[in-house]
Amino acid sequence: MSAPRLWNLIAELTYRCPLRCPYCSNPTDLRSHPDALDADAWSRAFAEARALGAVHVGLTGGEPTTRRDLVQIVRAAAAADLHVHLVTAGLPILPDGLGALARSGLGSVQLSVQDAEEADSDRIAGTNAFARKLVFARAARELGLPLTLNVVLHRHNLGRIAAIAALARSLGARRLELANAQYHGFALRNRAALLPTREQLRAAASDVERERTRSAGLEILFVLPDYFADRPKPCMGGWGRKALVLAPDGRALPCHGASSLPLEFWRYPERSLRQCWEDAPGMNAYRGEGWMREPCRSCPERARDFGGCRCQAFALAGEAAEADPACALSPHHALLAAARDADAADAGDGPGFAWRTW
Ligand code: SF4
Ligand code: FES
């Protein structure tokens, strides 16, 4: 089939990061993925992404502000006529550095915090970071950069929605993303310690509703985690359908998790971005609907969710072409429910998780 238009380039500039969050979605073999693209290579990639139709680039990682050539990278992305969005933990960059990025064409920022209070946030981050994050947020607002606050939710912070929303309001965020942990990579290793209980989720959903009524001007996003849903999410808006992830080592992927699948993806700049997007066998493996098995093949919802997440199907069912086990119609759905119930029973009271290691 012919490749669709590319809309969004997700530029993973590096997997290095000063934080050690236990739910990190980066590959667990971080050292096997060095930073292979210099600023000139990224600059050419941005121009090629624009030629494929992209209008947006997310600069992410790891922590993109560990790159010393970030100003050059931002300038190149803006010159390619892309909206430049920075996804950051708020350090090691300092306010002067953020000012330089804003003057180079940065369009918006997403700042992660791990909780609403310093001690809890730093405990999850595995380092002292919270105070620096507040400095970053204030600098972003002073520069007029639209600010999104992102908080990954799990059993240790789901009870603090009100305090998290108050923090977002006090920082002048336009948007608050309450992202329930997705159990890939390090998060899958730590699943027993992170999975919430059904009661926690129910209470959190009603806290979100209440905060929405008192947060005029703040958009709050909250989506139920797969382990407690009966239909999957349209992961990445569909495989190879809208977004391309360019990993630090130059691999062009359809999503953050695809490097764990036994598929052939191509590397940039060994091949052009157009070849990586249009012709790589891995990129085409789950495009469209031809690969689908039952129950997806004849399901009316396949045009909405594209059968869910291939990486989750591979990790849990052992076969990426299966329906996402998050779907109640999947023959593997019981696997997910059993893992949820077993992990909830095992979780205990302590943190019980291991931080990301390098
Ligand atoms: Fe989606 Fe497949 Fe489940 Fe239908 S059977 S809802 S297409 S995952
Ligand atoms: Fe790879 Fe969902 S993370 S398809």
Side-chain angles (χ1 to χ4, degrees):
M1 69 175 294
S2 62
R5 172 182 173 167
L6 174 65
W7 289 91
N8 184 18
L9 179 68
I10 298 165
E12 293 185 332
L13 300 183
T14 179
Y15 287 144
R16 283 176 288 129
C17 183
L19 273 61
R20 299 190 292 141
C21 304
Y23 45 70
C24 180
S25 62
N26 286 168
T28 50
D29 58 339
L30 291 164
R31 283 179 185 272
S32 331
H33 306 288
D35 301 351
L37 304 183
D38 62 15
D40 287 339
W42 279 110
S43 171
R44 291 192 296 276
F46 297 145
E48 291 180 41
R50 183 71 192 96
L52 286 167
V55 293
H56 181 280
V57 60
L59 304 178
T60 181
E63 173 49 47
T65 72
T66 59
R67 293 271 314 215
R68 295 188 173 187
D69 50 4
L70 190 55
V71 165
Q72 201 183 334
I73 288 171
V74 166
R75 196 177 295 131
D81 202 21
L82 298 170
H83 175 86
V84 191
H85 181 65
L86 178 69
V87 179
T88 178
L91 65 157
I93 193 169
L94 296 170
D96 283 354
L98 185 59
L101 298 185
R103 289 190 296 279
S104 303
L106 182 63
S108 54
V109 294
Q110 176 188 303
L111 172 69
S112 65
V113 296
Q114 282 63 33
D115 208 321
E117 302 281 343
E118 182 164 11
D120 296 318
S121 186
D122 288 348
R123 185 173 66 101
I124 294 291
T127 190
N128 294 336
F130 189 77
R132 298 273 300 270
K133 290 168 181 284
L134 300 190
V135 170
F136 176 95
R138 289 183 189 121
R141 297 302 300 124
E142 279 166 22
L143 289 162
L145 289 166
L147 173 67
T148 294
L149 204 65
N150 174 279
V151 186
V152 174
L153 297 176
H154 44 79
R155 69 187 299 125
H156 303 281
N157 64 4
L158 257 174
R160 290 196 274 277
I161 300 288
I164 291 169
L167 176 67
R169 290 192 295 267
S170 76
L171 294 175
R174 288 193 188 174
R175 186 174 156 111
L176 172 61
E177 288 183 0
L178 298 169
N180 279 290
Q182 294 285 330
Y183 294 98
H184 304 287
F186 291 96
L188 187 57
R189 288 186 182 174
N190 284 314
R191 191 175 62 183
L194 297 175
L195 264 178
T197 63
R198 200 176 280 282
E199 292 66 39
Q200 276 186 304
L201 271 172
R202 208 171 282 135
S206 85
D207 290 348
V208 168
E209 282 314 311
R210 194 179 54 246
E211 292 307 318
R212 281 184 176 137
T213 63
R214 58 165 76 144
S215 303
L218 175 67
E219 182 190 4
I220 303 181
L221 271 85
F222 176 79
V223 182
L224 267 186
D226 284 342
Y227 281 64
F228 296 87
D230 60 7
R231 288 291 182 272
K233 297 173 189 63
C235 195
M236 299 300 290
W239 180 277
R241 193 167 165 271
K242 290 180 172 173
L244 183 147
V245 176
L246 196 51
D249 57 8
R251 276 167 320 149
L253 304 166
C255 64
H256 310 277
S259 60
S260 64
L261 301 187
L263 294 171
E264 181 187 344
F265 296 105
W266 291 346
R267 274 177 208 272
Y268 183 84
E270 288 166 17
R271 315 243 190 170
S272 70
L273 208 64
R274 181 175 293 280
Q275 287 174 311
C276 293
W277 172 248
E278 294 183 347
D279 300 326
M283 198 65 80
N284 281 308
Y286 302 111
R287 271 192 170 127
E289 297 179 354
W291 57 272
M292 286 183 177
R293 303 173 179 177
E294 294 296 349
C296 296
R297 184 181 296 169
S298 57
C299 177
E301 297 194 41
R302 67 188 186 280
R304 181 195 64 80
D305 66 24
F306 315 105
C309 177
R310 297 308 88 230
C311 299
Q312 183 150 271
F314 181 72
L316 299 181
E319 176 51 77
E322 288 289 301
D324 186 339
C327 178
L329 301 174
S330 157
H332 303 286
H333 187 60
L335 279 176
L336 197 132
R340 177 190 66 211
D341 297 340
D343 286 357
D346 287 352
D349 295 329
F353 53 72
W355 286 281
R356 158 184 151 143
T357 47
W358 179 247

